[in-house]
Amino acid sequence: CNTPFYQQYAQLHYTWFTAPMIFLEMGYIGLGLYFLFFVLCIRLTWRRLKSGEGDKLNCQIAILMAVLCMILMFYNSSLRVESAYMMYFVLALPFLRSNASAMTATTC
């Protein structure tokens, strides 16, 4: 925390937010790709919800979580700490498939 950039802008507390830190680490392209990740999660989950492939509850929760994550990018740093693991897990729920029927067919 002794770089000239930090010394000049430390009073802004940019480390408290996810978006500025991602911008500093990866630039505009990285920030755009990070935001695009959540947009794609919404789109793919919506498609899975409408086609009936995914569980309705998991799809709805994942869409809400993706919107929340886009808000949290600019609100706080929870996407950069341990709590983010739970958020990304919720985003993955619509894409998990139960292989119980496939496993019973192969074991018989």
Side-chain angles (χ1 to χ4, degrees):
C1 294
N2 55 6
T3 63
F5 181 86
Y6 181 80
Q7 291 173 351
Q8 185 174 359
Y9 296 108
Q11 75 277 4
L12 297 176
H13 301 290
Y14 62 88
T15 58
W16 292 357
F17 305 99
T18 302
M21 291 303 295
I22 290 182
F23 173 71
L24 286 175
E25 293 171 357
M26 297 184 281
Y28 286 117
I29 294 173
L31 184 61
L33 289 174
Y34 192 69
F35 192 78
L36 183 64
F37 168 75
F38 297 114
V39 171
L40 285 174
C41 282
I42 292 171
R43 185 169 184 216
L44 293 174
T45 304
W46 185 264
R47 187 180 299 164
R48 191 172 274 271
L49 177 65
K50 289 302 175 188
S51 69
E53 290 179 31
D55 182 42
K56 184 178 179 182
L57 180 64
N58 286 342
C59 289
Q60 290 173 344
I61 291 173
I63 290 170
L64 289 173
M65 184 60 74
V67 171
L68 180 67
C69 287
M70 287 191 294
I71 293 168
L72 289 177
M73 276 179 56
F74 301 99
Y75 184 69
N76 64 18
S77 65
S78 62
L79 293 174
R80 297 183 54 84
V81 293
E82 290 81 12
S83 62
Y85 289 116
M86 193 61 77
M87 293 178 193
Y88 294 127
F89 174 73
V90 171
L91 291 176
L93 285 177
F95 304 103
L96 299 177
R97 291 190 180 162
S98 174
N99 290 334
S101 60
M103 288 174 34
T104 56
T106 59
T107 56
C108 293

Short mmCIF file of all heavy atoms in Angstrom, two decimals, residues 34-98:
data_model
loop_
_atom_site.label_atom_id
_atom_site.label_comp_id
_atom_site.label_asym_id
_atom_site.label_seq_id
_atom_site.Cartn_x
_atom_site.Cartn_y
_atom_site.Cartn_z
N TYR A 34 -16.18 -9.58 -17.04
CA TYR A 34 -16.72 -9.97 -15.74
C TYR A 34 -18.21 -9.67 -15.68
O TYR A 34 -19.01 -10.48 -15.21
CB TYR A 34 -15.96 -9.22 -14.64
CG TYR A 34 -16.22 -9.73 -13.25
CD1 TYR A 34 -15.77 -10.99 -12.85
CD2 TYR A 34 -16.92 -8.97 -12.33
CE1 TYR A 34 -16.00 -11.45 -11.57
CE2 TYR A 34 -17.15 -9.43 -11.04
CZ TYR A 34 -16.69 -10.67 -10.68
OH TYR A 34 -16.93 -11.13 -9.41
N PHE A 35 -18.60 -8.49 -16.17
CA PHE A 35 -20.02 -8.13 -16.22
C PHE A 35 -20.77 -9.03 -17.20
O PHE A 35 -21.89 -9.46 -16.93
CB PHE A 35 -20.16 -6.66 -16.63
CG PHE A 35 -21.53 -6.10 -16.45
CD1 PHE A 35 -21.97 -5.73 -15.20
CD2 PHE A 35 -22.38 -5.94 -17.52
CE1 PHE A 35 -23.25 -5.21 -15.01
CE2 PHE A 35 -23.65 -5.43 -17.36
CZ PHE A 35 -24.08 -5.06 -16.10
N LEU A 36 -20.13 -9.35 -18.33
CA LEU A 36 -20.73 -10.22 -19.34
C LEU A 36 -20.98 -11.62 -18.80
O LEU A 36 -21.94 -12.28 -19.19
CB LEU A 36 -19.83 -10.28 -20.58
CG LEU A 36 -20.35 -11.08 -21.76
CD1 LEU A 36 -21.61 -10.43 -22.31
CD2 LEU A 36 -19.28 -11.17 -22.82
N PHE A 37 -20.14 -12.08 -17.88
CA PHE A 37 -20.34 -13.38 -17.25
C PHE A 37 -21.71 -13.46 -16.59
O PHE A 37 -22.44 -14.44 -16.77
CB PHE A 37 -19.23 -13.65 -16.23
CG PHE A 37 -19.50 -14.83 -15.35
CD1 PHE A 37 -19.36 -16.11 -15.82
CD2 PHE A 37 -19.92 -14.64 -14.03
CE1 PHE A 37 -19.62 -17.21 -15.00
CE2 PHE A 37 -20.17 -15.71 -13.21
CZ PHE A 37 -20.03 -17.00 -13.70
N PHE A 38 -22.09 -12.44 -15.87
CA PHE A 38 -23.38 -12.44 -15.19
C PHE A 38 -24.54 -12.28 -16.17
O PHE A 38 -25.60 -12.88 -15.99
CB PHE A 38 -23.43 -11.35 -14.12
CG PHE A 38 -22.42 -11.57 -13.03
CD1 PHE A 38 -21.37 -10.70 -12.85
CD2 PHE A 38 -22.51 -12.66 -12.19
CE1 PHE A 38 -20.44 -10.90 -11.85
CE2 PHE A 38 -21.58 -12.88 -11.19
CZ PHE A 38 -20.54 -12.00 -11.03
N VAL A 39 -24.33 -11.50 -17.22
CA VAL A 39 -25.36 -11.37 -18.25
C VAL A 39 -25.58 -12.71 -18.93
O VAL A 39 -26.73 -13.12 -19.17
CB VAL A 39 -24.96 -10.28 -19.27
CG1 VAL A 39 -25.90 -10.26 -20.45
CG2 VAL A 39 -24.92 -8.91 -18.59
N LEU A 40 -24.51 -13.42 -19.24
CA LEU A 40 -24.64 -14.74 -19.86
C LEU A 40 -25.30 -15.75 -18.93
O LEU A 40 -26.06 -16.60 -19.37
CB LEU A 40 -23.28 -15.26 -20.32
CG LEU A 40 -22.73 -14.60 -21.57
CD1 LEU A 40 -21.31 -15.09 -21.85
CD2 LEU A 40 -23.63 -14.86 -22.75
N CYS A 41 -25.00 -15.65 -17.65
CA CYS A 41 -25.67 -16.53 -16.68
C CYS A 41 -27.18 -16.30 -16.71
O CYS A 41 -27.95 -17.25 -16.68
CB CYS A 41 -25.13 -16.29 -15.27
SG CYS A 41 -23.57 -17.07 -14.95
N ILE A 42 -27.58 -15.04 -16.77
CA ILE A 42 -29.01 -14.74 -16.83
C ILE A 42 -29.61 -15.30 -18.11
O ILE A 42 -30.65 -15.97 -18.09
CB ILE A 42 -29.25 -13.22 -16.74
CG1 ILE A 42 -28.88 -12.71 -15.36
CG2 ILE A 42 -30.69 -12.87 -17.07
CD1 ILE A 42 -28.88 -11.21 -15.24
N ARG A 43 -28.94 -15.07 -19.22
CA ARG A 43 -29.48 -15.51 -20.52
C ARG A 43 -29.58 -17.03 -20.61
O ARG A 43 -30.60 -17.58 -21.03
CB ARG A 43 -28.60 -14.97 -21.63
CG ARG A 43 -29.15 -15.25 -22.99
CD ARG A 43 -28.42 -14.48 -24.04
NE ARG A 43 -29.06 -14.72 -25.32
CZ ARG A 43 -28.42 -14.83 -26.44
NH1 ARG A 43 -27.12 -14.67 -26.46
NH2 ARG A 43 -29.06 -15.05 -27.56
N LEU A 44 -28.51 -17.72 -20.23
CA LEU A 44 -28.53 -19.18 -20.33
C LEU A 44 -29.51 -19.80 -19.34
O LEU A 44 -30.18 -20.79 -19.65
CB LEU A 44 -27.12 -19.73 -20.10
CG LEU A 44 -26.11 -19.39 -21.19
CD1 LEU A 44 -24.73 -19.86 -20.79
CD2 LEU A 44 -26.52 -19.99 -22.52
N THR A 45 -29.60 -19.23 -18.16
CA THR A 45 -30.54 -19.74 -17.17
C THR A 45 -31.98 -19.48 -17.62
O THR A 45 -32.85 -20.33 -17.45
CB THR A 45 -30.28 -19.10 -15.80
OG1 THR A 45 -28.92 -19.33 -15.44
CG2 THR A 45 -31.18 -19.69 -14.74
N TRP A 46 -32.22 -18.31 -18.21
CA TRP A 46 -33.56 -17.99 -18.72
C TRP A 46 -33.96 -18.98 -19.82
O TRP A 46 -35.09 -19.45 -19.85
CB TRP A 46 -33.57 -16.56 -19.25
CG TRP A 46 -34.93 -16.11 -19.68
CD1 TRP A 46 -35.43 -16.13 -20.94
CD2 TRP A 46 -35.96 -15.61 -18.85
NE1 TRP A 46 -36.70 -15.65 -20.95
CE2 TRP A 46 -37.06 -15.32 -19.67
CE3 TRP A 46 -36.07 -15.37 -17.48
CZ2 TRP A 46 -38.25 -14.82 -19.17
CZ3 TRP A 46 -37.24 -14.85 -17.00
CH2 TRP A 46 -38.32 -14.59 -17.83
N ARG A 47 -33.01 -19.27 -20.70
CA ARG A 47 -33.27 -20.23 -21.77
C ARG A 47 -33.57 -21.61 -21.20
O ARG A 47 -34.48 -22.30 -21.66
CB ARG A 47 -32.07 -20.30 -22.71
CG ARG A 47 -32.32 -21.14 -23.94
CD ARG A 47 -31.12 -21.18 -24.84
NE ARG A 47 -30.79 -19.82 -25.29
CZ ARG A 47 -29.63 -19.50 -25.83
NH1 ARG A 47 -28.69 -20.41 -25.97
NH2 ARG A 47 -29.39 -18.27 -26.23
N ARG A 48 -32.81 -22.00 -20.18
CA ARG A 48 -33.03 -23.30 -19.54
C ARG A 48 -34.38 -23.33 -18.81
O ARG A 48 -35.07 -24.35 -18.82
CB ARG A 48 -31.89 -23.57 -18.56
CG ARG A 48 -31.85 -24.96 -18.02
CD ARG A 48 -30.57 -25.15 -17.24
NE ARG A 48 -29.48 -25.53 -18.10
CZ ARG A 48 -29.19 -26.79 -18.39
NH1 ARG A 48 -29.90 -27.76 -17.88
NH2 ARG A 48 -28.19 -27.08 -19.17
N LEU A 49 -34.77 -22.23 -18.23
CA LEU A 49 -36.05 -22.14 -17.53
C LEU A 49 -37.21 -22.24 -18.52
O LEU A 49 -38.17 -22.97 -18.27
CB LEU A 49 -36.14 -20.82 -16.76
CG LEU A 49 -37.43 -20.51 -16.02
CD1 LEU A 49 -37.64 -21.52 -14.89
CD2 LEU A 49 -37.40 -19.10 -15.47
N LYS A 50 -37.12 -21.54 -19.63
CA LYS A 50 -38.20 -21.54 -20.61
C LYS A 50 -38.33 -22.88 -21.34
O LYS A 50 -39.42 -23.28 -21.72
CB LYS A 50 -38.00 -20.42 -21.64
CG LYS A 50 -38.24 -19.06 -21.06
CD LYS A 50 -39.63 -18.96 -20.48
CE LYS A 50 -39.85 -17.65 -19.77
NZ LYS A 50 -41.10 -17.61 -19.05
N SER A 51 -37.21 -23.59 -21.53
CA SER A 51 -37.27 -24.88 -22.21
C SER A 51 -37.69 -26.01 -21.28
O SER A 51 -37.98 -27.11 -21.73
CB SER A 51 -35.92 -25.21 -22.84
OG SER A 51 -34.96 -25.48 -21.85
N GLY A 52 -37.70 -25.76 -19.97
CA GLY A 52 -38.10 -26.77 -19.01
C GLY A 52 -37.00 -27.75 -18.66
O GLY A 52 -37.26 -28.76 -18.00
N GLU A 53 -35.77 -27.48 -19.07
CA GLU A 53 -34.65 -28.38 -18.78
C GLU A 53 -34.23 -28.31 -17.32
O GLU A 53 -33.87 -29.32 -16.73
CB GLU A 53 -33.46 -28.03 -19.66
CG GLU A 53 -33.62 -28.35 -21.11
CD GLU A 53 -32.40 -27.94 -21.90
OE1 GLU A 53 -31.29 -27.97 -21.34
OE2 GLU A 53 -32.56 -27.60 -23.08
N GLY A 54 -34.23 -27.12 -16.76
CA GLY A 54 -33.74 -26.94 -15.39
C GLY A 54 -34.86 -26.89 -14.38
O GLY A 54 -36.04 -26.72 -14.71
N ASP A 55 -34.49 -27.04 -13.13
CA ASP A 55 -35.44 -26.91 -12.03
C ASP A 55 -35.89 -25.45 -11.95
O ASP A 55 -35.07 -24.53 -11.98
CB ASP A 55 -34.77 -27.34 -10.72
CG ASP A 55 -35.72 -27.27 -9.55
OD1 ASP A 55 -36.88 -27.68 -9.73
OD2 ASP A 55 -35.30 -26.80 -8.48
N LYS A 56 -37.19 -25.24 -11.87
CA LYS A 56 -37.74 -23.89 -11.91
C LYS A 56 -37.22 -23.03 -10.76
O LYS A 56 -36.82 -21.88 -10.98
CB LYS A 56 -39.27 -23.96 -11.86
CG LYS A 56 -39.94 -22.62 -11.98
CD LYS A 56 -41.45 -22.75 -11.96
CE LYS A 56 -42.09 -21.40 -12.05
NZ LYS A 56 -43.55 -21.47 -12.00
N LEU A 57 -37.19 -23.58 -9.56
CA LEU A 57 -36.73 -22.82 -8.40
C LEU A 57 -35.26 -22.45 -8.53
O LEU A 57 -34.87 -21.30 -8.30
CB LEU A 57 -36.97 -23.61 -7.12
CG LEU A 57 -36.55 -22.92 -5.82
CD1 LEU A 57 -37.38 -21.67 -5.61
CD2 LEU A 57 -36.67 -23.86 -4.66
N ASN A 58 -34.42 -23.40 -8.93
CA ASN A 58 -33.00 -23.12 -9.08
C ASN A 58 -32.75 -22.06 -10.15
O ASN A 58 -31.89 -21.20 -9.99
CB ASN A 58 -32.23 -24.39 -9.42
CG ASN A 58 -32.08 -25.31 -8.24
OD1 ASN A 58 -32.24 -24.89 -7.10
ND2 ASN A 58 -31.78 -26.56 -8.50
N CYS A 59 -33.49 -22.13 -11.24
CA CYS A 59 -33.33 -21.15 -12.31
C CYS A 59 -33.74 -19.76 -11.85
O CYS A 59 -33.04 -18.77 -12.12
CB CYS A 59 -34.14 -21.56 -13.54
SG CYS A 59 -33.47 -22.98 -14.41
N GLN A 60 -34.84 -19.65 -11.15
CA GLN A 60 -35.29 -18.35 -10.67
C GLN A 60 -34.32 -17.76 -9.67
O GLN A 60 -34.01 -16.57 -9.71
CB GLN A 60 -36.68 -18.47 -10.05
CG GLN A 60 -37.77 -18.74 -11.06
CD GLN A 60 -39.11 -19.02 -10.40
OE1 GLN A 60 -39.19 -19.30 -9.21
NE2 GLN A 60 -40.17 -18.94 -11.21
N ILE A 61 -33.82 -18.59 -8.77
CA ILE A 61 -32.86 -18.10 -7.78
C ILE A 61 -31.57 -17.67 -8.45
O ILE A 61 -30.97 -16.65 -8.08
CB ILE A 61 -32.61 -19.18 -6.70
CG1 ILE A 61 -33.85 -19.35 -5.84
CG2 ILE A 61 -31.42 -18.81 -5.83
CD1 ILE A 61 -33.77 -20.49 -4.86
N ALA A 62 -31.12 -18.41 -9.46
CA ALA A 62 -29.88 -18.07 -10.15
C ALA A 62 -30.02 -16.76 -10.92
O ALA A 62 -29.08 -15.95 -10.95
CB ALA A 62 -29.47 -19.19 -11.09
N ILE A 63 -31.17 -16.53 -11.51
CA ILE A 63 -31.38 -15.26 -12.22
C ILE A 63 -31.35 -14.09 -11.24
O ILE A 63 -30.70 -13.07 -11.49
CB ILE A 63 -32.70 -15.30 -13.02
CG1 ILE A 63 -32.58 -16.26 -14.20
CG2 ILE A 63 -33.10 -13.91 -13.49
CD1 ILE A 63 -33.88 -16.54 -14.91
N LEU A 64 -32.02 -14.25 -10.12
CA LEU A 64 -31.99 -13.20 -9.10
C LEU A 64 -30.58 -12.98 -8.55
O LEU A 64 -30.17 -11.84 -8.32
CB LEU A 64 -32.95 -13.54 -7.97
CG LEU A 64 -34.44 -13.43 -8.30
CD1 LEU A 64 -35.28 -13.95 -7.14
CD2 LEU A 64 -34.80 -12.01 -8.64
N MET A 65 -29.84 -14.06 -8.35
CA MET A 65 -28.48 -13.94 -7.84
C MET A 65 -27.57 -13.25 -8.85
O MET A 65 -26.70 -12.46 -8.47
CB MET A 65 -27.92 -15.31 -7.46
CG MET A 65 -26.55 -15.24 -6.83
SD MET A 65 -26.50 -14.28 -5.30
CE MET A 65 -27.30 -15.40 -4.19
N ALA A 66 -27.75 -13.53 -10.14
CA ALA A 66 -26.93 -12.88 -11.16
C ALA A 66 -27.20 -11.38 -11.19
O ALA A 66 -26.26 -10.57 -11.31
CB ALA A 66 -27.19 -13.50 -12.52
N VAL A 67 -28.46 -11.00 -11.08
CA VAL A 67 -28.80 -9.57 -11.02
C VAL A 67 -28.20 -8.95 -9.76
O VAL A 67 -27.62 -7.85 -9.80
CB VAL A 67 -30.33 -9.37 -11.07
CG1 VAL A 67 -30.70 -7.93 -10.79
CG2 VAL A 67 -30.87 -9.83 -12.41
N LEU A 68 -28.31 -9.65 -8.65
CA LEU A 68 -27.73 -9.16 -7.40
C LEU A 68 -26.22 -9.01 -7.51
O LEU A 68 -25.65 -8.03 -7.03
CB LEU A 68 -28.10 -10.09 -6.25
CG LEU A 68 -27.57 -9.72 -4.88
CD1 LEU A 68 -28.23 -8.44 -4.40
CD2 LEU A 68 -27.81 -10.84 -3.90
N CYS A 69 -25.56 -9.96 -8.15
CA CYS A 69 -24.11 -9.88 -8.32
C CYS A 69 -23.71 -8.68 -9.17
O CYS A 69 -22.69 -8.03 -8.90
CB CYS A 69 -23.57 -11.16 -8.94
SG CYS A 69 -23.55 -12.56 -7.81
N MET A 70 -24.51 -8.36 -10.19
CA MET A 70 -24.20 -7.18 -11.00
C MET A 70 -24.36 -5.91 -10.18
O MET A 70 -23.60 -4.95 -10.37
CB MET A 70 -25.10 -7.15 -12.24
CG MET A 70 -24.72 -8.19 -13.26
SD MET A 70 -25.55 -8.00 -14.84
CE MET A 70 -27.24 -8.33 -14.42
N ILE A 71 -25.31 -5.90 -9.27
CA ILE A 71 -25.47 -4.74 -8.39
C ILE A 71 -24.32 -4.68 -7.39
O ILE A 71 -23.75 -3.62 -7.13
CB ILE A 71 -26.83 -4.78 -7.68
CG1 ILE A 71 -27.96 -4.60 -8.70
CG2 ILE A 71 -26.93 -3.73 -6.58
CD1 ILE A 71 -29.34 -4.90 -8.16
N LEU A 72 -23.96 -5.83 -6.84
CA LEU A 72 -22.91 -5.88 -5.83
C LEU A 72 -21.53 -5.54 -6.39
O LEU A 72 -20.63 -5.17 -5.64
CB LEU A 72 -22.86 -7.25 -5.16
CG LEU A 72 -24.02 -7.57 -4.22
CD1 LEU A 72 -23.90 -8.99 -3.70
CD2 LEU A 72 -24.08 -6.58 -3.08
N MET A 73 -21.36 -5.67 -7.70
CA MET A 73 -20.09 -5.26 -8.31
C MET A 73 -19.78 -3.80 -8.00
O MET A 73 -18.63 -3.43 -7.80
CB MET A 73 -20.14 -5.43 -9.83
CG MET A 73 -19.84 -6.80 -10.32
SD MET A 73 -19.96 -6.90 -12.12
CE MET A 73 -18.83 -5.65 -12.64
N PHE A 74 -20.82 -2.98 -7.98
CA PHE A 74 -20.63 -1.54 -7.80
C PHE A 74 -21.00 -1.08 -6.40
O PHE A 74 -20.92 0.11 -6.11
CB PHE A 74 -21.48 -0.79 -8.84
CG PHE A 74 -21.11 -1.13 -10.24
CD1 PHE A 74 -21.86 -2.04 -10.96
CD2 PHE A 74 -19.98 -0.58 -10.82
CE1 PHE A 74 -21.51 -2.37 -12.25
CE2 PHE A 74 -19.62 -0.91 -12.10
CZ PHE A 74 -20.38 -1.81 -12.83
N TYR A 75 -21.39 -2.02 -5.52
CA TYR A 75 -21.85 -1.63 -4.20
C TYR A 75 -20.86 -1.98 -3.09
O TYR A 75 -20.64 -1.19 -2.19
CB TYR A 75 -23.20 -2.28 -3.92
CG TYR A 75 -23.81 -1.85 -2.61
CD1 TYR A 75 -24.26 -0.56 -2.44
CD2 TYR A 75 -23.91 -2.74 -1.55
CE1 TYR A 75 -24.81 -0.15 -1.24
CE2 TYR A 75 -24.44 -2.34 -0.35
CZ TYR A 75 -24.89 -1.05 -0.19
OH TYR A 75 -25.42 -0.66 0.98
N ASN A 76 -20.29 -3.18 -3.16
CA ASN A 76 -19.34 -3.57 -2.12
C ASN A 76 -18.36 -4.61 -2.66
O ASN A 76 -18.34 -4.90 -3.84
CB ASN A 76 -20.06 -4.07 -0.86
CG ASN A 76 -20.85 -5.32 -1.10
OD1 ASN A 76 -20.66 -6.04 -2.06
ND2 ASN A 76 -21.76 -5.60 -0.19
N SER A 77 -17.58 -5.19 -1.79
CA SER A 77 -16.53 -6.11 -2.23
C SER A 77 -16.87 -7.56 -1.91
O SER A 77 -15.97 -8.40 -1.83
CB SER A 77 -15.21 -5.74 -1.56
OG SER A 77 -15.31 -5.94 -0.17
N SER A 78 -18.12 -7.90 -1.75
CA SER A 78 -18.48 -9.28 -1.38
C SER A 78 -18.18 -10.28 -2.49
O SER A 78 -18.09 -11.47 -2.22
CB SER A 78 -19.95 -9.36 -0.98
OG SER A 78 -20.77 -8.99 -2.07
N LEU A 79 -18.01 -9.83 -3.73
CA LEU A 79 -17.65 -10.74 -4.81
C LEU A 79 -16.16 -11.06 -4.83
O LEU A 79 -15.71 -11.85 -5.64
CB LEU A 79 -18.07 -10.15 -6.17
CG LEU A 79 -19.56 -10.03 -6.38
CD1 LEU A 79 -19.85 -9.30 -7.69
CD2 LEU A 79 -20.22 -11.39 -6.39
N ARG A 80 -15.41 -10.46 -3.94
CA ARG A 80 -13.97 -10.70 -3.87
C ARG A 80 -13.54 -11.43 -2.60
O ARG A 80 -12.36 -11.63 -2.38
CB ARG A 80 -13.22 -9.37 -3.97
CG ARG A 80 -13.44 -8.66 -5.28
CD ARG A 80 -12.63 -7.40 -5.36
NE ARG A 80 -11.21 -7.59 -5.11
CZ ARG A 80 -10.33 -7.98 -6.02
NH1 ARG A 80 -10.72 -8.22 -7.24
NH2 ARG A 80 -9.05 -8.10 -5.70
N VAL A 81 -14.49 -11.79 -1.78
CA VAL A 81 -14.16 -12.49 -0.53
C VAL A 81 -14.84 -13.85 -0.51
O VAL A 81 -15.46 -14.26 -1.48
CB VAL A 81 -14.57 -11.63 0.70
CG1 VAL A 81 -13.73 -10.37 0.78
CG2 VAL A 81 -16.03 -11.28 0.67
N GLU A 82 -14.77 -14.54 0.60
CA GLU A 82 -15.25 -15.91 0.70
C GLU A 82 -16.74 -16.06 0.43
O GLU A 82 -17.19 -17.12 0.00
CB GLU A 82 -14.92 -16.49 2.08
CG GLU A 82 -13.44 -16.75 2.29
CD GLU A 82 -12.68 -15.50 2.68
OE1 GLU A 82 -13.31 -14.48 3.01
OE2 GLU A 82 -11.44 -15.54 2.63
N SER A 83 -17.51 -15.04 0.67
CA SER A 83 -18.96 -15.13 0.43
C SER A 83 -19.27 -15.34 -1.05
O SER A 83 -20.35 -15.83 -1.40
CB SER A 83 -19.66 -13.88 0.94
OG SER A 83 -19.19 -12.74 0.26
N ALA A 84 -18.35 -14.99 -1.92
CA ALA A 84 -18.57 -15.15 -3.36
C ALA A 84 -18.70 -16.62 -3.74
O ALA A 84 -19.38 -16.94 -4.73
CB ALA A 84 -17.44 -14.50 -4.14
N TYR A 85 -18.08 -17.52 -3.01
CA TYR A 85 -18.20 -18.94 -3.32
C TYR A 85 -19.66 -19.38 -3.27
O TYR A 85 -20.11 -20.16 -4.12
CB TYR A 85 -17.38 -19.80 -2.36
CG TYR A 85 -15.89 -19.67 -2.56
CD1 TYR A 85 -15.10 -19.12 -1.56
CD2 TYR A 85 -15.30 -20.09 -3.73
CE1 TYR A 85 -13.73 -19.01 -1.74
CE2 TYR A 85 -13.94 -19.97 -3.92
CZ TYR A 85 -13.16 -19.43 -2.92
OH TYR A 85 -11.81 -19.31 -3.10
N MET A 86 -20.40 -18.90 -2.31
CA MET A 86 -21.81 -19.26 -2.20
C MET A 86 -22.60 -18.64 -3.35
O MET A 86 -23.51 -19.28 -3.90
CB MET A 86 -22.37 -18.79 -0.86
CG MET A 86 -23.71 -19.39 -0.55
SD MET A 86 -23.69 -21.17 -0.46
CE MET A 86 -22.98 -21.42 1.13
N MET A 87 -22.27 -17.43 -3.74
CA MET A 87 -22.97 -16.79 -4.86
C MET A 87 -22.71 -17.54 -6.16
O MET A 87 -23.65 -17.78 -6.94
CB MET A 87 -22.53 -15.34 -4.98
CG MET A 87 -22.94 -14.48 -3.83
SD MET A 87 -22.32 -12.81 -4.04
CE MET A 87 -22.61 -12.16 -2.42
N TYR A 88 -21.48 -17.93 -6.41
CA TYR A 88 -21.17 -18.66 -7.64
C TYR A 88 -21.77 -20.06 -7.61
O TYR A 88 -22.13 -20.60 -8.65
CB TYR A 88 -19.66 -18.72 -7.86
CG TYR A 88 -19.06 -17.36 -8.13
CD1 TYR A 88 -17.99 -16.88 -7.39
CD2 TYR A 88 -19.58 -16.54 -9.13
CE1 TYR A 88 -17.45 -15.64 -7.64
CE2 TYR A 88 -19.05 -15.29 -9.37
CZ TYR A 88 -17.98 -14.85 -8.64
OH TYR A 88 -17.46 -13.61 -8.88
N PHE A 89 -21.89 -20.64 -6.43
CA PHE A 89 -22.56 -21.95 -6.32
C PHE A 89 -24.02 -21.83 -6.72
O PHE A 89 -24.54 -22.69 -7.45
CB PHE A 89 -22.44 -22.48 -4.89
CG PHE A 89 -23.22 -23.74 -4.66
CD1 PHE A 89 -22.80 -24.94 -5.19
CD2 PHE A 89 -24.40 -23.71 -3.93
CE1 PHE A 89 -23.53 -26.11 -4.99
CE2 PHE A 89 -25.14 -24.85 -3.71
CZ PHE A 89 -24.70 -26.07 -4.25
N VAL A 90 -24.69 -20.78 -6.28
CA VAL A 90 -26.10 -20.58 -6.65
C VAL A 90 -26.22 -20.35 -8.15
O VAL A 90 -27.15 -20.84 -8.78
CB VAL A 90 -26.70 -19.39 -5.85
CG1 VAL A 90 -28.07 -19.01 -6.38
CG2 VAL A 90 -26.77 -19.73 -4.38
N LEU A 91 -25.25 -19.67 -8.75
CA LEU A 91 -25.28 -19.47 -10.20
C LEU A 91 -25.08 -20.78 -10.96
O LEU A 91 -25.53 -20.91 -12.10
CB LEU A 91 -24.20 -18.47 -10.61
CG LEU A 91 -24.42 -17.02 -10.19
CD1 LEU A 91 -23.23 -16.17 -10.59
CD2 LEU A 91 -25.69 -16.47 -10.77
N ALA A 92 -24.43 -21.74 -10.35
CA ALA A 92 -24.18 -23.02 -11.02
C ALA A 92 -25.33 -24.00 -10.87
O ALA A 92 -25.41 -24.98 -11.62
CB ALA A 92 -22.91 -23.65 -10.45
N LEU A 93 -26.23 -23.78 -9.93
CA LEU A 93 -27.31 -24.74 -9.66
C LEU A 93 -28.16 -25.11 -10.88
O LEU A 93 -28.47 -26.28 -11.06
CB LEU A 93 -28.20 -24.22 -8.53
CG LEU A 93 -27.62 -24.31 -7.13
CD1 LEU A 93 -28.58 -23.69 -6.12
CD2 LEU A 93 -27.31 -25.74 -6.76
N PRO A 94 -28.56 -24.17 -11.73
CA PRO A 94 -29.40 -24.57 -12.87
C PRO A 94 -28.69 -25.49 -13.86
O PRO A 94 -29.33 -26.18 -14.63
CB PRO A 94 -29.76 -23.24 -13.55
CG PRO A 94 -29.49 -22.20 -12.57
CD PRO A 94 -28.44 -22.72 -11.66
N PHE A 95 -27.38 -25.50 -13.83
CA PHE A 95 -26.62 -26.28 -14.81
C PHE A 95 -26.21 -27.65 -14.28
O PHE A 95 -25.57 -28.42 -14.99
CB PHE A 95 -25.40 -25.49 -15.26
CG PHE A 95 -25.79 -24.15 -15.82
CD1 PHE A 95 -25.62 -22.99 -15.07
CD2 PHE A 95 -26.36 -24.04 -17.07
CE1 PHE A 95 -25.99 -21.76 -15.57
CE2 PHE A 95 -26.74 -22.81 -17.59
CZ PHE A 95 -26.56 -21.67 -16.82
N LEU A 96 -26.55 -27.95 -13.04
CA LEU A 96 -26.27 -29.26 -12.48
C LEU A 96 -27.38 -30.22 -12.87
O LEU A 96 -28.56 -29.88 -12.82
CB LEU A 96 -26.17 -29.19 -10.95
CG LEU A 96 -25.07 -28.29 -10.39
CD1 LEU A 96 -25.14 -28.27 -8.89
CD2 LEU A 96 -23.72 -28.77 -10.86
N ARG A 97 -27.00 -31.40 -13.27
CA ARG A 97 -27.99 -32.40 -13.66
C ARG A 97 -27.91 -33.58 -12.72
O ARG A 97 -26.83 -33.98 -12.29
CB ARG A 97 -27.74 -32.88 -15.08
CG ARG A 97 -28.01 -31.83 -16.09
CD ARG A 97 -27.98 -32.40 -17.45
NE ARG A 97 -28.25 -31.34 -18.41
CZ ARG A 97 -27.98 -31.42 -19.68
NH1 ARG A 97 -27.45 -32.53 -20.16
NH2 ARG A 97 -28.25 -30.45 -20.49
N SER A 98 -29.03 -34.18 -12.48
CA SER A 98 -29.06 -35.37 -11.66
C SER A 98 -28.78 -36.58 -12.55
O SER A 98 -29.49 -36.83 -13.52
CB SER A 98 -30.42 -35.52 -10.99
OG SER A 98 -30.49 -36.74 -10.31
#
